[in-house]
Amino acid sequence: MCGEKMKTVAVIGAGPAGMSAAIAAARNGAKVVVFERNDIAGKKLLLTGNGRCNFTNVDIHADYYSFEEGSVADEVLNSLSSRDICEYFSDLGVLSMERKSGMYPVTGQAGTIQTAFLQAMEQLGIEVIYNACIGEIVCDKEQFEVHMDNKFIYFDAVILACGGKAAPKTGSDGFGYRLARGFGHTVTRTYPVLVQMQSDASGLKQIAGVRCYANVTALVNDSKVATDYGELQLTDYGLSGIPVFHLSRFLSKEAEEGMKCVVSVDFIPQISKDAMDAFIMKRLNDLKGYSLKDFITGLVHNKLADYFLKIRNLDAGYTVVPEDKKMVLELLNAMKDWRFNITGHKGFENAQVTKGGVVLEEIDGNMESKLVKGLFFAGEMVDVDADCGGYNLHWAFASGIKAGETAAK
Ligand SMILES: Cc1cc2nc3c(=O)[nH]c(=O)nc-3n(C[C@H](O)[C@H](O)[C@H](O)COP(=O)(O)OP(=O)(O)OC[C@H]3O[C@@H](n4cnc5c(N)ncnc54)[C@H](O)[C@@H]3O)c2cc1C
């Protein structure tokens, strides 16, 4: 360092954003202390990807995020490609594998990523203070006073990586926003996303537990806003499954704000509307003397078949004849556009991610505050959310590394 004073950096939060920021700052010559309110680091990280940690995606693009292509956040995101992230973990001793374009550690264990981070932090001499919930930081003459247990610890820079409000049992319950507000930053209203949606549709108990592959489309005030295909899970309160998590990014806020929200489900995406006529005529001719239930039995889960017939007041035992084509066509068309009225979401307790947070306009391309020099942000704390598939962790790493590198300089 040749006479240059070593910078001191405090990182608040030992999640993926905080740990990657700490490592980047230490690698760039800073003395780093991480404060974590839990007694372990990366509590949420351990839950990711069903315990397997989908840490990035081969297709990283602004389309999967809440910000615009070409924006400052997009530049931060693209400062690290998915290949860079895989190399980053390879450098920490973790090999990765691809599954449906998502990248995971080959071990299939999120704990591997947590261990790799902890090993790297130890090697770099980063101090991690656990059970340290930081409630106040004061900026005084270009120094930051971090208040912990009636002690003041001084730093040249602070990185806030406290997470959002999703899955609050893991430590990120929105407390960090108070720290951001304390520095004069604006925090937008927050909403849970990548979350199950509630519906007041009748008869849900009858189909609860059914899983099926379907096309799902979100409509807000009758306009189509998002669509996805995947394994839908029907529950007694509404809809779940990865495609519904995807739609929740476009429905949670809107449902809370009282807009008309609907999910249209195509339960038989395998038959196009054009092919429907021919399909029905063949079946009507093949199935002489069979019942309406028999007619749809090979199309959807048995419970769903009973549900559709019941909701549409159709007699399952009725014997169909070729003249019933119109009635059968109507039934199948309804199954291709079955509408669930959405009344809300399942809350932050069940959500994976937070929509909203510290506004991006007050942060520069190095993740540094435009209001307070030496103050940085990383990860879910800021107003960035993304789709399922490793995109949220990619943001946590990209923003964390950017903040750490700059904070050390
Ligand atoms: C069940 C589940 C599965 C998920 N699966 C995936 C997935 O497979 N792929 C993906 O990309 N994303 C996934 N996510 C989202 C991803 O986990 C988050 O986007 C990511 O963890 C955000 O990282 P972060 O470091 O910003 O925040 P967090 O991981 O929330 O970490 C913030 C840390 O800060 C600490 N903290 C907060 N306030 C303070 C304070 N005042 N003082 C000290 N410490 C504090 C918290 O205890 C916490 O440890 C999943 C989320 C959940 C809940």
Side-chain angles (χ1 to χ4, degrees), residues 116-133:
F117 272 135
L118 289 173
Q119 284 172 352
M121 291 201 292
E122 194 178 3
Q123 276 172 0
L124 287 160
I126 296 169
E127 186 184 355
V128 186
I129 305 179
Y130 294 104
N131 301 310
C133 185

Side-chain angles (χ1 to χ4, degrees), residues 5-12 21-22 25-26 30-35 137-146 153-161 183 366-369 372-377 402-409:
K5 186 181 164 274
M6 196 186 222
K7 267 206 154 184
T8 52
V9 176
V11 178
I12 318 297
K31 179 173 168 30
V32 183
V33 180
V34 180
F35 298 89
I137 303 172
V138 177
C139 181
D140 184 26
K141 293 180 196 137
E142 295 194 3
Q143 277 245 305
F144 292 88
E145 236 177 58
V146 174
I153 313 173
Y154 293 90
F155 294 91
D156 299 314
V158 166
I159 302 173
L160 295 181
F183 286 109
N366 289 319
M367 296 308 293
E368 186 169 10
S369 161
V372 181
K373 202 170 155 30
L375 176 69
F376 294 79
F377 295 93
K402 181 64 84 181
E405 281 172 356
T406 322
K409 284 176 188 160

Side-chain angles (χ1 to χ4, degrees), residues 203-228:
L204 282 174
K205 276 207 172 77
Q206 197 184 331
I207 47 173
V210 171
R211 288 167 177 246
C212 58
Y213 281 83
N215 274 335
V216 291
T217 303
L219 298 126
V220 175
N221 291 342
D222 300 319
S223 296
K224 186 171 150 180
V225 290
T227 190
D228 199 14

Side-chain angles (χ1 to χ4, degrees), residues 11-20 34-57 65 103-104 129 131-137 160-177 179 194 245 348-354 378-382 384 386-397 399:
V11 178
I12 318 297
M19 290 191 281
S20 51
V34 180
F35 298 89
E36 168 55 53
R37 70 193 296 186
N38 291 324
D39 56 3
I40 58 160
K43 200 168 178 184
K44 189 181 289 174
L45 180 69
L46 292 175
L47 304 178
T48 58
N50 275 328
R52 287 181 304 213
C53 189
N54 178 192
F55 62 80
T56 185
N57 194 290
Y65 290 84
M103 299 305 300
Y104 297 79
I129 305 179
N131 301 310
C133 185
I134 303 305
E136 195 178 7
I137 303 172
L160 295 181
C162 305
K165 281 167 94 174
K169 281 186 184 150
T170 61
S172 41
D173 57 2
F175 193 73
Y177 299 138
L179 297 174
L194 306 195
F245 277 26
F348 281 110
E349 292 71 25
N350 298 291
Q352 293 194 355
V353 169
T354 309
E380 202 176 309
M381 237 192 120
V382 301
V384 167
D387 207 351
C388 295
Y391 301 105
N392 288 290
L393 282 174
H394 187 105
W395 168 255
F397 300 136
S399 58

Side-chain angles (χ1 to χ4, degrees), residues 115-394:
T115 305
F117 272 135
L118 289 173
Q119 284 172 352
M121 291 201 292
E122 194 178 3
Q123 276 172 0
L124 287 160
I126 296 169
E127 186 184 355
V128 186
I129 305 179
Y130 294 104
N131 301 310
C133 185
I134 303 305
E136 195 178 7
I137 303 172
V138 177
C139 181
D140 184 26
K141 293 180 196 137
E142 295 194 3
Q143 277 245 305
F144 292 88
E145 236 177 58
V146 174
H147 294 202
M148 190 190 77
D149 300 337
N150 300 323
K151 273 189 295 196
F152 302 149
I153 313 173
Y154 293 90
F155 294 91
D156 299 314
V158 166
I159 302 173
L160 295 181
C162 305
K165 281 167 94 174
K169 281 186 184 150
T170 61
S172 41
D173 57 2
F175 193 73
Y177 299 138
R178 269 179 46 188
L179 297 174
R181 285 196 185 99
F183 286 109
H185 275 274
T186 314
V187 180
T188 66
R189 192 170 160 183
T190 52
Y191 304 88
V193 292
L194 306 195
V195 66
Q196 307 85 343
M197 300 309 300
Q198 288 179 310
S199 172
D200 58 2
S202 57
L204 282 174
K205 276 207 172 77
Q206 197 184 331
I207 47 173
V210 171
R211 288 167 177 246
C212 58
Y213 281 83
N215 274 335
V216 291
T217 303
L219 298 126
V220 175
N221 291 342
D222 300 319
S223 296
K224 186 171 150 180
V225 290
T227 190
D228 199 14
Y229 171 78
E231 192 181 35
L232 172 71
Q233 293 175 32
L234 295 144
T235 70
D236 56 0
Y237 60 77
L239 307 173
S240 183
I242 299 292
V244 173
F245 277 26
H246 171 77
L247 299 191
S248 71
R249 293 188 55 227
F250 307 89
L251 291 172
S252 282
K253 172 174 181 274
E254 291 71 10
E256 262 193 44
E257 289 177 354
M259 295 184 198
K260 183 182 167 200
C261 295
V262 168
V263 171
S264 157
V265 181
D266 179 353
F267 282 100
I268 36 175
Q270 298 78 9
I271 311 176
S272 70
K273 285 213 165 178
D274 293 345
M276 192 77 94
D277 245 43
F279 175 82
I280 290 174
M281 280 323 291
K282 180 176 183 311
R283 289 283 288 161
L284 284 173
N285 288 323
D286 287 352
L287 285 182
K288 289 203 179 76
Y290 280 79
S291 71
L292 196 49
K293 171 77 186 288
D294 289 329
F295 193 95
I296 58 170
T297 222
L299 303 183
V300 286
H301 190 287
N302 192 36
K303 279 190 183 176
L304 280 175
D306 290 335
Y307 173 76
F308 295 139
L309 295 172
K310 189 173 169 198
I311 298 286
R312 288 185 70 86
N313 280 323
L314 292 167
D315 178 3
Y318 169 76
T319 306
V320 284
V321 290
E323 290 70 37
D324 290 320
K325 187 187 156 196
K326 188 167 171 279
M327 179 266 288
V328 175
L329 184 64
E330 275 172 13
L331 172 63
L332 266 59
N333 275 334
M335 286 160 64
K336 282 188 75 61
D337 181 15
W338 199 267
R339 298 203 166 206
F340 292 92
N341 185 45
I342 299 301
T343 51
H345 50 67
K346 287 292 275 178
F348 281 110
E349 292 71 25
N350 298 291
Q352 293 194 355
V353 169
T354 309
K355 184 185 185 77
V358 179
V359 300
L360 288 166
E361 289 74 17
E362 294 170 357
I363 301 170
D364 72 11
N366 289 319
M367 296 308 293
E368 186 169 10
S369 161
K370 288 181 183 172
L371 312 184
V372 181
K373 202 170 155 30
L375 176 69
F376 294 79
F377 295 93
E380 202 176 309
M381 237 192 120
V382 301
D383 184 8
V384 167
D385 66 276
D387 207 351
C388 295
Y391 301 105
N392 288 290
L393 282 174
H394 187 105

